[in-house]
Amino acid sequence: MHPHPTTLDLEAIRQQFPILAERINGHPLVYLDNAASTQKPLCVIDRLSEVYRVDYANVHRGVHTLSQRCTDLFEEAREKVRRFINARHTHEVIFVRGTTEAINLVAQSYGRSKLMPGDEILISAMEHHSNIVPWQMLALQTGAVLKVAPISLEGTLLMAEFEGLLSEKTRLVSITHMSNALGTINPVKDIIRLAHARDIPVMLDGAQSAPHLPMDVRDLDCDFFAFSGHKLYGPSGIGVLYGKESLLEAMPPYQGGGDMIRRVTFEETEFNELPYKFEAGTPNIADTIALGAAIDFVEAIGMAAIADHEEQLLTYATSKALEIEGLRLIGSAPQKGAILSFTLEGIHPHDIGTLLDQLGIAIRAGHHCAMPVMDFFGLPATARASFALYNTFDEVDTLMDGIRQVIKLFK
Ligand code: C6P
């Protein structure tokens, strides 16, 4: 039996996601690759097509009605994001392609203008490549040094070691809010408190947390926060960088071009105000507006209710997984998002993924763009099932039956 009845009306919710009715390899789709990207509800799909059918024009440029209407819709989406993360100002919300671009923006704008040889950037050992490589590139450009706070075998950040690595040379801490490879939710409030006590700003990689936890950047007091629309039931190619006004004001532009200027001559350029200073060129207009629709969708359900449902799914899935002989969970932090990373004795994760796919079950197998995490656990890869608001307890059962079939096949 399933542990608790969920508070979500899953039948009604699932009807909003047409793709969930697909059959894959002759089986009903069981979509458990939500940490990679979530599926899209009708309101997002319809909004996207509606923008192109009736609202579309370039933004911030035209005097004509359509351009003004589209600009209003675009800026309404910015206000929806502001509300969603509880930022103080809409101009603290910068639209970018996704988490990856947001982190690169901070590295190349904030980092490049601030860092001197010998300065330090502190990350953790559980980061996604997006929160490693931009800092390595920055270190090469500036002579700064990348420091890495270690993790435990459970997959938790070692807080004493983290604190020990904060020094008078540390210029920025950049850390994941929720690990995509392990599911660990980091104690970001403590991390921010410790860093701020030494006047060190903190960037949070919210790619995995924003879709699954209620978010409040003011309460967290983070200095930068990044997330991607496509993991939040919205379109791909659109994401958000939040930054505190004072920091963004002091930062130089990341890219040059149209929309980010106030006045240009061949001799010099006066930059536009926030947020436009960081939004060079025609933005991803329709996807931004559709991201607003995705935010309306999750807010109507309630982020707390979503987090509660996913926690129940994780608890149930974890207890069922632990009953399977030869299954090893990778990542067992006490605070975890609904991500189940695992290995099966003697079976390569790619084979697990391929065989489950034959049963219509979509999971991810690989290094999850977190190769240092795999190295830490001495693994080439893991299999990863990741849950979203539309997943059911029956789907957890189907996954567990599928895993048992995979094991049987290899015996
Ligand atoms: N993780 C996964 O399957 P982008 O690709 O820019 O939308 O997000 C990058 C990113 C950054 N940080 C974390 C913690 C992430 O999980 C991701 C994306 C996907 O786990 C695709 S690799």
Side-chain angles (χ1 to χ4, degrees), residues 43-66:
C43 60
V44 170
I45 301 168
D46 291 347
R47 193 69 190 98
L48 201 52
S49 114
E50 194 186 2
V51 172
Y52 285 122
R53 280 187 288 110
V54 300
D55 296 319
Y56 184 77
N58 209 331
V59 292
H60 306 136
R61 287 160 173 81
V63 291
H64 59 83
T65 305
L66 261 189

PDB file of all heavy atoms in Angstrom, residues 43-66:
ATOM      1  N   CYS A  43      -1.424  24.567 -20.729  1.00  0.00           N
ATOM      2  CA  CYS A  43      -1.444  26.034 -20.631  1.00  0.00           C
ATOM      3  C   CYS A  43      -0.143  26.641 -21.160  1.00  0.00           C
ATOM      4  O   CYS A  43      -0.156  27.740 -21.732  1.00  0.00           O
ATOM      5  CB  CYS A  43      -1.726  26.493 -19.204  1.00  0.00           C
ATOM      6  SG  CYS A  43      -0.517  25.926 -18.013  1.00  0.00           S
ATOM      7  N   VAL A  44       0.964  25.925 -21.012  1.00  0.00           N
ATOM      8  CA  VAL A  44       2.248  26.425 -21.525  1.00  0.00           C
ATOM      9  C   VAL A  44       2.298  26.248 -23.046  1.00  0.00           C
ATOM     10  O   VAL A  44       2.660  27.167 -23.790  1.00  0.00           O
ATOM     11  CB  VAL A  44       3.431  25.690 -20.840  1.00  0.00           C
ATOM     12  CG1 VAL A  44       4.758  26.011 -21.526  1.00  0.00           C
ATOM     13  CG2 VAL A  44       3.485  26.075 -19.362  1.00  0.00           C
ATOM     14  N   ILE A  45       1.906  25.042 -23.497  1.00  0.00           N
ATOM     15  CA  ILE A  45       1.925  24.757 -24.938  1.00  0.00           C
ATOM     16  C   ILE A  45       0.995  25.741 -25.660  1.00  0.00           C
ATOM     17  O   ILE A  45       1.349  26.321 -26.692  1.00  0.00           O
ATOM     18  CB  ILE A  45       1.463  23.292 -25.192  1.00  0.00           C
ATOM     19  CG1 ILE A  45       2.391  22.315 -24.469  1.00  0.00           C
ATOM     20  CG2 ILE A  45       1.393  22.992 -26.682  1.00  0.00           C
ATOM     21  CD1 ILE A  45       1.868  20.881 -24.403  1.00  0.00           C
ATOM     22  N   ASP A  46      -0.196  25.944 -25.091  1.00  0.00           N
ATOM     23  CA  ASP A  46      -1.184  26.825 -25.737  1.00  0.00           C
ATOM     24  C   ASP A  46      -0.728  28.283 -25.709  1.00  0.00           C
ATOM     25  O   ASP A  46      -0.935  29.020 -26.670  1.00  0.00           O
ATOM     26  CB  ASP A  46      -2.548  26.706 -25.044  1.00  0.00           C
ATOM     27  CG  ASP A  46      -3.173  25.343 -25.289  1.00  0.00           C
ATOM     28  OD1 ASP A  46      -2.680  24.609 -26.173  1.00  0.00           O
ATOM     29  OD2 ASP A  46      -4.153  25.009 -24.592  1.00  0.00           O
ATOM     30  N   ARG A  47      -0.103  28.674 -24.600  1.00  0.00           N
ATOM     31  CA  ARG A  47       0.332  30.082 -24.493  1.00  0.00           C
ATOM     32  C   ARG A  47       1.390  30.386 -25.546  1.00  0.00           C
ATOM     33  O   ARG A  47       1.381  31.448 -26.170  1.00  0.00           O
ATOM     34  CB  ARG A  47       0.892  30.356 -23.081  1.00  0.00           C
ATOM     35  CG  ARG A  47       1.070  31.830 -22.790  1.00  0.00           C
ATOM     36  CD  ARG A  47      -0.289  32.512 -22.680  1.00  0.00           C
ATOM     37  NE  ARG A  47      -0.189  33.959 -22.639  1.00  0.00           N
ATOM     38  CZ  ARG A  47      -0.356  34.758 -23.692  1.00  0.00           C
ATOM     39  NH1 ARG A  47      -0.629  34.252 -24.888  1.00  0.00           N
ATOM     40  NH2 ARG A  47      -0.282  36.067 -23.569  1.00  0.00           N
ATOM     41  N   LEU A  48       2.274  29.407 -25.731  1.00  0.00           N
ATOM     42  CA  LEU A  48       3.351  29.584 -26.711  1.00  0.00           C
ATOM     43  C   LEU A  48       2.766  29.779 -28.105  1.00  0.00           C
ATOM     44  O   LEU A  48       3.149  30.692 -28.839  1.00  0.00           O
ATOM     45  CB  LEU A  48       4.237  28.332 -26.675  1.00  0.00           C
ATOM     46  CG  LEU A  48       5.649  28.407 -27.200  1.00  0.00           C
ATOM     47  CD1 LEU A  48       6.413  29.550 -26.578  1.00  0.00           C
ATOM     48  CD2 LEU A  48       6.359  27.078 -26.879  1.00  0.00           C
ATOM     49  N   SER A  49       1.830  28.932 -28.434  1.00  0.00           N
ATOM     50  CA  SER A  49       1.257  29.036 -29.787  1.00  0.00           C
ATOM     51  C   SER A  49       0.396  30.300 -29.909  1.00  0.00           C
ATOM     52  O   SER A  49       0.393  30.966 -30.943  1.00  0.00           O
ATOM     53  CB  SER A  49       0.511  27.748 -30.133  1.00  0.00           C
ATOM     54  OG  SER A  49      -0.842  27.955 -30.259  1.00  0.00           O
ATOM     55  N   GLU A  50      -0.272  30.667 -28.821  1.00  0.00           N
ATOM     56  CA  GLU A  50      -1.108  31.876 -28.843  1.00  0.00           C
ATOM     57  C   GLU A  50      -0.257  33.138 -29.051  1.00  0.00           C
ATOM     58  O   GLU A  50      -0.650  34.048 -29.779  1.00  0.00           O
ATOM     59  CB  GLU A  50      -1.881  31.975 -27.525  1.00  0.00           C
ATOM     60  CG  GLU A  50      -3.017  32.977 -27.567  1.00  0.00           C
ATOM     61  CD  GLU A  50      -3.669  33.150 -26.188  1.00  0.00           C
ATOM     62  OE1 GLU A  50      -3.211  32.525 -25.206  1.00  0.00           O
ATOM     63  OE2 GLU A  50      -4.628  33.936 -26.105  1.00  0.00           O
ATOM     64  N   VAL A  51       0.900  33.170 -28.398  1.00  0.00           N
ATOM     65  CA  VAL A  51       1.772  34.346 -28.573  1.00  0.00           C
ATOM     66  C   VAL A  51       2.080  34.515 -30.055  1.00  0.00           C
ATOM     67  O   VAL A  51       1.957  35.619 -30.602  1.00  0.00           O
ATOM     68  CB  VAL A  51       3.087  34.204 -27.769  1.00  0.00           C
ATOM     69  CG1 VAL A  51       4.067  35.329 -28.114  1.00  0.00           C
ATOM     70  CG2 VAL A  51       2.811  34.217 -26.279  1.00  0.00           C
ATOM     71  N   TYR A  52       2.451  33.421 -30.709  1.00  0.00           N
ATOM     72  CA  TYR A  52       2.808  33.530 -32.127  1.00  0.00           C
ATOM     73  C   TYR A  52       1.576  33.793 -32.998  1.00  0.00           C
ATOM     74  O   TYR A  52       1.684  34.394 -34.061  1.00  0.00           O
ATOM     75  CB  TYR A  52       3.529  32.267 -32.594  1.00  0.00           C
ATOM     76  CG  TYR A  52       4.964  32.198 -32.100  1.00  0.00           C
ATOM     77  CD1 TYR A  52       5.414  31.123 -31.333  1.00  0.00           C
ATOM     78  CD2 TYR A  52       5.872  33.221 -32.383  1.00  0.00           C
ATOM     79  CE1 TYR A  52       6.719  31.062 -30.878  1.00  0.00           C
ATOM     80  CE2 TYR A  52       7.183  33.170 -31.920  1.00  0.00           C
ATOM     81  CZ  TYR A  52       7.601  32.092 -31.174  1.00  0.00           C
ATOM     82  OH  TYR A  52       8.893  32.038 -30.723  1.00  0.00           O
ATOM     83  N   ARG A  53       0.395  33.334 -32.536  1.00  0.00           N
ATOM     84  CA  ARG A  53      -0.809  33.543 -33.355  1.00  0.00           C
ATOM     85  C   ARG A  53      -1.353  34.960 -33.216  1.00  0.00           C
ATOM     86  O   ARG A  53      -1.784  35.544 -34.203  1.00  0.00           O
ATOM     87  CB  ARG A  53      -1.883  32.501 -33.020  1.00  0.00           C
ATOM     88  CG  ARG A  53      -1.628  31.153 -33.715  1.00  0.00           C
ATOM     89  CD  ARG A  53      -2.739  30.139 -33.552  1.00  0.00           C
ATOM     90  NE  ARG A  53      -2.769  29.618 -32.194  1.00  0.00           N
ATOM     91  CZ  ARG A  53      -3.718  29.884 -31.310  1.00  0.00           C
ATOM     92  NH1 ARG A  53      -4.744  30.638 -31.645  1.00  0.00           N
ATOM     93  NH2 ARG A  53      -3.673  29.387 -30.101  1.00  0.00           N
ATOM     94  N   VAL A  54      -1.314  35.534 -32.014  1.00  0.00           N
ATOM     95  CA  VAL A  54      -2.007  36.828 -31.858  1.00  0.00           C
ATOM     96  C   VAL A  54      -1.219  37.956 -31.191  1.00  0.00           C
ATOM     97  O   VAL A  54      -1.602  39.114 -31.301  1.00  0.00           O
ATOM     98  CB  VAL A  54      -3.351  36.664 -31.088  1.00  0.00           C
ATOM     99  CG1 VAL A  54      -4.295  35.749 -31.804  1.00  0.00           C
ATOM    100  CG2 VAL A  54      -3.135  36.180 -29.662  1.00  0.00           C
ATOM    101  N   ASP A  55      -0.114  37.638 -30.507  1.00  0.00           N
ATOM    102  CA  ASP A  55       0.539  38.693 -29.704  1.00  0.00           C
ATOM    103  C   ASP A  55       1.936  39.075 -30.158  1.00  0.00           C
ATOM    104  O   ASP A  55       2.550  39.951 -29.569  1.00  0.00           O
ATOM    105  CB  ASP A  55       0.683  38.220 -28.236  1.00  0.00           C
ATOM    106  CG  ASP A  55      -0.655  38.013 -27.556  1.00  0.00           C
ATOM    107  OD1 ASP A  55      -1.555  38.846 -27.766  1.00  0.00           O
ATOM    108  OD2 ASP A  55      -0.798  37.022 -26.819  1.00  0.00           O
ATOM    109  N   TYR A  56       2.469  38.388 -31.167  1.00  0.00           N
ATOM    110  CA  TYR A  56       3.915  38.447 -31.373  1.00  0.00           C
ATOM    111  C   TYR A  56       4.424  39.689 -32.113  1.00  0.00           C
ATOM    112  O   TYR A  56       3.911  40.060 -33.179  1.00  0.00           O
ATOM    113  CB  TYR A  56       4.401  37.194 -32.127  1.00  0.00           C
ATOM    114  CG  TYR A  56       5.902  37.205 -32.257  1.00  0.00           C
ATOM    115  CD1 TYR A  56       6.698  36.870 -31.169  1.00  0.00           C
ATOM    116  CD2 TYR A  56       6.524  37.621 -33.426  1.00  0.00           C
ATOM    117  CE1 TYR A  56       8.069  36.935 -31.235  1.00  0.00           C
ATOM    118  CE2 TYR A  56       7.909  37.684 -33.514  1.00  0.00           C
ATOM    119  CZ  TYR A  56       8.673  37.337 -32.407  1.00  0.00           C
ATOM    120  OH  TYR A  56      10.032  37.416 -32.479  1.00  0.00           O
ATOM    121  N   ALA A  57       5.436  40.303 -31.559  1.00  0.00           N
ATOM    122  CA  ALA A  57       6.252  41.325 -32.248  1.00  0.00           C
ATOM    123  C   ALA A  57       7.516  41.462 -31.416  1.00  0.00           C
ATOM    124  O   ALA A  57       7.611  40.882 -30.332  1.00  0.00           O
ATOM    125  CB  ALA A  57       5.519  42.663 -32.324  1.00  0.00           C
ATOM    126  N   ASN A  58       8.493  42.221 -31.939  1.00  0.00           N
ATOM    127  CA  ASN A  58       9.693  42.436 -31.113  1.00  0.00           C
ATOM    128  C   ASN A  58       9.329  43.336 -29.923  1.00  0.00           C
ATOM    129  O   ASN A  58       8.343  44.066 -29.963  1.00  0.00           O
ATOM    130  CB  ASN A  58      10.834  43.043 -31.941  1.00  0.00           C
ATOM    131  CG  ASN A  58      12.191  42.625 -31.392  1.00  0.00           C
ATOM    132  OD1 ASN A  58      12.338  42.365 -30.196  1.00  0.00           O
ATOM    133  ND2 ASN A  58      13.188  42.556 -32.250  1.00  0.00           N
ATOM    134  N   VAL A  59      10.150  43.231 -28.866  1.00  0.00           N
ATOM    135  CA  VAL A  59       9.821  43.953 -27.627  1.00  0.00           C
ATOM    136  C   VAL A  59      10.760  45.138 -27.401  1.00  0.00           C
ATOM    137  O   VAL A  59      11.865  45.172 -27.933  1.00  0.00           O
ATOM    138  CB  VAL A  59       9.888  43.007 -26.395  1.00  0.00           C
ATOM    139  CG1 VAL A  59       8.768  41.983 -26.445  1.00  0.00           C
ATOM    140  CG2 VAL A  59      11.247  42.310 -26.296  1.00  0.00           C
ATOM    141  N   HIS A  60      10.293  46.102 -26.632  1.00  0.00           N
ATOM    142  CA  HIS A  60      11.073  47.277 -26.208  1.00  0.00           C
ATOM    143  C   HIS A  60      11.512  48.154 -27.362  1.00  0.00           C
ATOM    144  O   HIS A  60      12.427  48.934 -27.230  1.00  0.00           O
ATOM    145  CB  HIS A  60      12.348  46.871 -25.428  1.00  0.00           C
ATOM    146  CG  HIS A  60      12.086  45.969 -24.267  1.00  0.00           C
ATOM    147  ND1 HIS A  60      12.853  44.867 -24.000  1.00  0.00           N
ATOM    148  CD2 HIS A  60      11.141  46.018 -23.305  1.00  0.00           C
ATOM    149  CE1 HIS A  60      12.402  44.251 -22.923  1.00  0.00           C
ATOM    150  NE2 HIS A  60      11.356  44.932 -22.476  1.00  0.00           N
ATOM    151  N   ARG A  61      10.927  47.991 -28.556  1.00  0.00           N
ATOM    152  CA  ARG A  61      11.431  48.737 -29.695  1.00  0.00           C
ATOM    153  C   ARG A  61      10.337  49.483 -30.447  1.00  0.00           C
ATOM    154  O   ARG A  61      10.538  50.603 -30.889  1.00  0.00           O
ATOM    155  CB  ARG A  61      12.106  47.784 -30.696  1.00  0.00           C
ATOM    156  CG  ARG A  61      13.440  47.266 -30.223  1.00  0.00           C
ATOM    157  CD  ARG A  61      13.789  45.995 -30.981  1.00  0.00           C
ATOM    158  NE  ARG A  61      15.146  45.529 -30.693  1.00  0.00           N
ATOM    159  CZ  ARG A  61      15.496  44.830 -29.632  1.00  0.00           C
ATOM    160  NH1 ARG A  61      14.587  44.510 -28.735  1.00  0.00           N
ATOM    161  NH2 ARG A  61      16.745  44.443 -29.436  1.00  0.00           N
ATOM    162  N   GLY A  62       9.178  48.821 -30.596  1.00  0.00           N
ATOM    163  CA  GLY A  62       8.208  49.339 -31.553  1.00  0.00           C
ATOM    164  C   GLY A  62       7.281  50.379 -30.948  1.00  0.00           C
ATOM    165  O   GLY A  62       7.017  50.371 -29.747  1.00  0.00           O
ATOM    166  N   VAL A  63       6.785  51.281 -31.788  1.00  0.00           N
ATOM    167  CA  VAL A  63       5.722  52.179 -31.328  1.00  0.00           C
ATOM    168  C   VAL A  63       4.367  51.580 -31.679  1.00  0.00           C
ATOM    169  O   VAL A  63       3.339  52.064 -31.245  1.00  0.00           O
ATOM    170  CB  VAL A  63       5.815  53.581 -31.988  1.00  0.00           C
ATOM    171  CG1 VAL A  63       7.036  54.318 -31.498  1.00  0.00           C
ATOM    172  CG2 VAL A  63       5.789  53.502 -33.510  1.00  0.00           C
ATOM    173  N   HIS A  64       4.395  50.504 -32.483  1.00  0.00           N
ATOM    174  CA  HIS A  64       3.099  49.972 -32.917  1.00  0.00           C
ATOM    175  C   HIS A  64       2.453  49.110 -31.818  1.00  0.00           C
ATOM    176  O   HIS A  64       3.124  48.662 -30.881  1.00  0.00           O
ATOM    177  CB  HIS A  64       3.237  49.219 -34.239  1.00  0.00           C
ATOM    178  CG  HIS A  64       4.193  48.054 -34.203  1.00  0.00           C
ATOM    179  ND1 HIS A  64       3.819  46.828 -33.737  1.00  0.00           N
ATOM    180  CD2 HIS A  64       5.486  47.957 -34.569  1.00  0.00           C
ATOM    181  CE1 HIS A  64       4.842  45.994 -33.831  1.00  0.00           C
ATOM    182  NE2 HIS A  64       5.882  46.666 -34.342  1.00  0.00           N
ATOM    183  N   THR A  65       1.161  48.900 -31.966  1.00  0.00           N
ATOM    184  CA  THR A  65       0.349  48.273 -30.918  1.00  0.00           C
ATOM    185  C   THR A  65       0.854  46.887 -30.538  1.00  0.00           C
ATOM    186  O   THR A  65       0.960  46.558 -29.357  1.00  0.00           O
ATOM    187  CB  THR A  65      -1.121  48.184 -31.398  1.00  0.00           C
ATOM    188  OG1 THR A  65      -1.516  49.494 -31.750  1.00  0.00           O
ATOM    189  CG2 THR A  65      -2.042  47.617 -30.332  1.00  0.00           C
ATOM    190  N   LEU A  66       1.157  46.072 -31.544  1.00  0.00           N
ATOM    191  CA  LEU A  66       1.567  44.701 -31.238  1.00  0.00           C
ATOM    192  C   LEU A  66       2.866  44.675 -30.437  1.00  0.00           C
ATOM    193  O   LEU A  66       3.022  43.883 -29.515  1.00  0.00           O
ATOM    194  CB  LEU A  66       1.779  43.903 -32.531  1.00  0.00           C
ATOM    195  CG  LEU A  66       0.642  42.999 -32.987  1.00  0.00           C
ATOM    196  CD1 LEU A  66       1.103  42.131 -34.159  1.00  0.00           C
ATOM    197  CD2 LEU A  66       0.103  42.122 -31.863  1.00  0.00           C
TER     198      LEU A  66
END
